[in-house]
Amino acid sequence: MKHIRIITDSTEKTRKLGAKFSELLTIGDVVGFIGDLGGGKTTFTQGILQGLNYDGAVTSPTFTLVHEYPTNPKIYHLDCFRIKVHSDYASIGIDDFLLDDAILLIEWADKIIDYFILRTWQVVFNFVEGSDQRRELVFHHNKPAEMQRLADHFRDFIMETQ
Amino acid sequence: MLVLGIETSCDETAAAILHDGAVLSSIVSTQWLHARYGGVVPELASRAHLKLLTPILDQVFFEAGLSKEEIEAVAVTRGPGLIGALLVGIATAKGIAFSRNLPLVGVNHLEGHLWSAAFGGGYIQPPFLALLVSGGHTILIGVEAFGQYKLIGRTRDDAVGEAFDKVAVLCGLNYPGGAEVERLAKQGDRAYHTFPVGMRGREGYNFSYSGLKTAVANFIHKEADAVSHHLEDLLACFQEAAVTALVEPSIKAMQDFGYNTLVVSGGVAANQRLRERLQEESARLGAHFYSPKLEYCTDNATMIAWVGWKRLQAGYQDSLAMSGEANFPIPGMK
């Protein structure tokens, strides 16, 4: 099982999926989001924060690069949209965040994903042809056991594994 | 009082010298790194601040016709911003303050923006409603007096400047493309399509841009010729929705809180359509409307020196133990 696909047809559902996904996360986890603008990354992130009982605003870190949330565990929300040079990703301070007892959420992670090898979730957001609301979320983790946990956790949702 | 201001919170290295609030000289350096990397890269940005700050300080003293011995206080951006970048300005400011035994004052970057319509156009008498719009921030603040602020609204997701830049990317323009969006939108037909106005019909005075960005992305996916044949129209409609989402809560807050003056500031305050709409709507209420000179919309050190001067007058001063704060709240904000 390399990928798990879940279809969402509304921002509300995307947010719910994020909240449910947050139940799987523990200290040290890194989640990379990959997908085009408008794909649902922000909404999914809002869901994760909601799932961790954070009720404040979850704003985009594109310009400010890093936001920190006082959740339990702590969340660092990073954004690599403005980072253009591959060799510079370490300079965003990621090593400091990795050493902290926290979960890292990284937007535009395709620019940075090979920096991590283990304990990394990837969530790809795809547009679905023929519908402007529909999105396909594709989950991947390097560890088979984590993929199995995800499959069990989301078994009630429309899903396809391959 | 002669105040030196230093700003290194994000992309710009800047210094300014003010005499009792009047600008003697002001220099902003858009870093050459941007042309090369197309965006701010934090650690590299800090190094650029290091490299650029000393020559910029020399230049700002030269243009003011002053020697370094004549300065009477040092103001520096304490936050919010990138910590590595902030520390370059703060360490430099401390060095100058310590060596000449001058008062040091840390300034909130956003408080600087709040007052930036006041430079070169005369003091704006509070109370007023301030709409602060930039790449990283979209906030509505009630200004009761200097140092007395009330948070009225803020974005729930993206900042408005970010929405402009990201829609530019969706349309195949270069990042950051906010100014290019405005240029193209001027030639477009605002009746081409109606995009949703964030937070319309909701309680309060908040903003939202994530939905608008997604609506533009969805529209481009659906309408194959939107970007190739209707780029100007598409951008005109996006801009109208983005601007309306700023205007409506601002005007509602003016009425509900009884403000008689509206002040816009920040990088997006340079947008002509936004200025036009705010001007029109303020006039309809019989209210005053102020916007900064274009050079004071974007990050600058004049606003830091100005707020530093006001803080010193109000009796505030910081010790040499002051540090930078990435998430620095505006002092006096409720």
Side-chain angles (χ1 to χ4, degrees):
Chain A
M1 184 165 47
K2 277 247 188 290
H3 298 101
I4 293 174
R5 291 165 202 280
I6 297 176
I7 300 285
T8 161
D9 44 21
S10 67
T11 51
E12 289 72 37
K13 178 144 181 216
T14 306
R15 197 169 286 124
K16 265 186 205 154
L17 289 173
K20 193 158 175 64
F21 182 68
S22 75
E23 295 163 9
L24 292 172
L25 298 176
T26 51
I27 284 175
D29 275 338
V30 177
V31 188
F33 301 133
I34 299 170
D36 286 338
L37 287 165
K41 300 186 294 296
T42 308
T43 310
F44 191 76
T45 305
Q46 288 172 339
I48 291 179
L49 268 299
Q50 226 169 56
L52 294 170
N53 299 316
Y54 180 78
D55 57 4
V58 177
T59 56
S60 164
T62 295
F63 191 81
T64 40
L65 297 163
V66 183
H67 288 164
E68 190 184 323
Y69 293 95
T71 44
N72 182 24
K74 189 194 284 178
I75 292 266
Y76 286 111
H77 185 198
L78 280 66
D79 193 318
C80 299
F81 185 76
R82 303 208 297 154
I83 295 211
K84 292 283 194 287
V85 182
H86 188 258
S87 61
D88 285 329
Y89 48 55
S91 67
I92 198 171
I94 273 183
D95 289 334
D96 295 335
F97 307 138
L98 280 173
L99 288 172
D100 203 350
D101 291 333
I103 296 167
L104 258 64
L105 308 179
I106 308 177
E107 302 218 23
W108 300 94
D110 39 337
K111 298 187 178 184
I112 202 172
I113 205 78
D114 52 358
Y115 192 70
F116 305 102
I117 297 171
L118 298 172
R119 301 206 62 142
T120 304
W121 282 107
Q122 279 179 44
V123 189
V124 179
F125 297 77
N126 292 321
F127 283 80
V128 176
E129 286 305 316
S131 163
D132 58 355
Q133 291 291 322
R134 219 163 237 250
R135 299 289 187 273
E136 174 195 58
L137 274 56
V138 186
F139 294 81
H140 170 76
H141 196 289
N142 291 311
K143 290 184 177 173
E146 290 294 320
M147 289 300 278
Q148 193 54 55
R149 274 182 74 214
L150 184 85
D152 295 343
H153 195 65
F154 279 102
R155 65 183 174 276
D156 295 336
F157 288 78
I158 304 164
M159 194 178 75
E160 179 191 310
T161 60
Q162 70 181 57
Chain B
M1 178 185 258
L2 282 165
V3 180
L4 169 68
I6 296 174
E7 150 73 33
T8 62
S9 69
C10 191
D11 300 22
E12 308 286 1
T13 313
I17 298 174
L18 273 61
H19 181 239
D20 289 342
V23 187
L24 298 185
S25 62
S26 177
I27 295 178
V28 176
S29 151
T30 300
Q31 295 171 351
W32 63 270
L33 277 170
H34 285 230
R36 200 163 151 194
Y37 293 108
V40 64
V41 186
E43 212 35 50
L44 289 179
S46 311
R47 279 182 215 136
H49 286 309
L50 265 178
K51 212 161 140 182
L52 290 168
L53 190 50
T54 304
I56 283 176
L57 284 171
D58 288 342
Q59 187 66 23
V60 85
F61 277 98
F62 175 77
E63 287 188 13
L66 292 171
S67 75
K68 287 180 183 158
E69 284 70 31
E70 290 172 272
I71 242 21
E72 292 167 279
V74 186
V76 64
T77 308
R78 186 175 175 188
L82 302 171
I83 194 72
L86 288 166
L87 290 177
V88 174
I90 291 171
T92 307
K94 282 184 186 174
I96 296 168
F98 178 68
S99 64
R100 310 216 178 277
N101 199 23
L102 300 176
L104 172 75
V105 59
V107 171
N108 183 291
H109 178 86
L110 300 177
E111 189 177 14
H113 276 300
L114 278 187
W115 292 95
S116 58
F119 322 139
Y123 185 66
I124 297 169
Q125 191 64 45
F128 59 82
L129 182 71
L131 173 66
L132 202 169
V133 280
S134 69
H137 303 277
T138 305
I139 328 175
L140 206 49
I141 295 171
V143 177
E144 304 308 320
F146 181 84
Q148 273 181 48
Y149 310 111
K150 184 165 65 186
L151 179 66
I152 290 178
R154 57 172 298 186
T155 181
R156 305 300 296 173
D157 38 59
D158 298 357
V160 59
E162 179 180 340
F164 272 82
D165 287 340
K166 286 196 168 166
V167 163
V169 172
L170 282 172
C171 295
L173 306 172
N174 287 328
Y175 184 89
E180 181 71 356
V181 168
E182 184 187 358
R183 193 185 67 77
L184 291 166
K186 254 184 209 142
Q187 303 148 38
D189 176 7
R190 294 199 289 263
Y192 169 62
H193 182 74
T194 305
F195 286 115
V197 172
M199 305 302 282
R200 185 177 260 174
R202 303 276 280 273
E203 288 279 306
Y205 312 89
N206 291 319
F207 312 98
S208 168
Y209 282 96
S210 183
L212 174 57
K213 178 187 70 190
T214 304
V216 174
N218 289 340
F219 187 75
I220 290 173
H221 273 261
K222 213 167 59 183
E223 304 288 329
D225 69 342
V227 171
S228 54
H229 289 83
H230 293 281
L231 182 59
E232 290 86 354
D233 302 335
L234 176 76
L235 294 176
C237 297
F238 156 73
Q239 177 174 268
E240 206 55 21
V243 164
T244 302
L246 294 175
V247 172
E248 285 182 356
S250 304
I251 295 305
K252 191 163 155 250
M254 291 286 287
Q255 292 171 312
D256 292 358
F257 293 94
Y259 289 107
N260 201 32
T261 303
L262 176 62
V263 179
V264 68
S265 63
V268 180
N271 183 288
Q272 290 303 322
R273 182 64 186 152
L274 176 62
R275 288 180 178 226
E276 212 173 275
R277 292 279 309 276
L278 291 173
Q279 175 77 63
E280 278 170 22
E281 296 293 328
S282 303
R284 195 163 307 173
L285 294 181
H288 304 286
F289 171 68
Y290 297 99
S291 54
K293 289 172 143 183
L294 288 181
E295 68 209 88
Y296 297 134
C297 286
T298 45
D299 291 353
N300 63 85
T302 298
M303 64 187 199
I304 303 304
W306 193 91
V307 169
W309 169 64
K310 293 291 282 185
R311 283 186 71 76
L312 286 166
Q313 279 186 323
Y316 294 104
Q317 192 179 321
D318 289 290
S319 81
L320 291 172
M322 180 187 85
S323 186
E325 288 188 42
N327 304 310
F328 187 39
I330 298 178
M333 174 101 115
K334 291 208 173 74

